[in-house]
Amino acid sequence: MTKQELIEFLDRLVELVSEENKTKAVLVKEKFINNFEKSYEYV
């Protein structure tokens, strides 16, 4: 899975989250991507 595919997948998951939880979901997504980049040295 490429970084772009991962981001698109997570964006689709965030769309499914209720409005009151969207902010938290976006923060979790961003944290996951940052950790993913660090772990696998994506640039």
Side-chain angles (χ1 to χ4, degrees):
M1 178 177 277
T2 67
K3 179 181 172 185
Q4 185 60 38
E5 290 171 332
L6 175 63
I7 291 170
E8 289 171 7
F9 174 75
L10 293 173
D11 284 342
R12 283 187 235 122
L13 287 179
V14 168
E15 289 175 15
L16 299 174
V17 175
S18 63
E19 284 300 317
E20 60 262 4
N21 290 322
K22 261 204 210 287
T23 302
K24 184 175 181 180
V26 169
L27 293 174
V28 169
K29 179 192 90 168
E30 291 173 359
K31 184 175 180 179
F32 180 86
I33 291 170
N34 286 335
N35 289 336
F36 182 84
E37 289 174 336
K38 289 177 187 173
S39 296
Y40 296 98
E41 299 181 5
Y42 269 79
V43 179

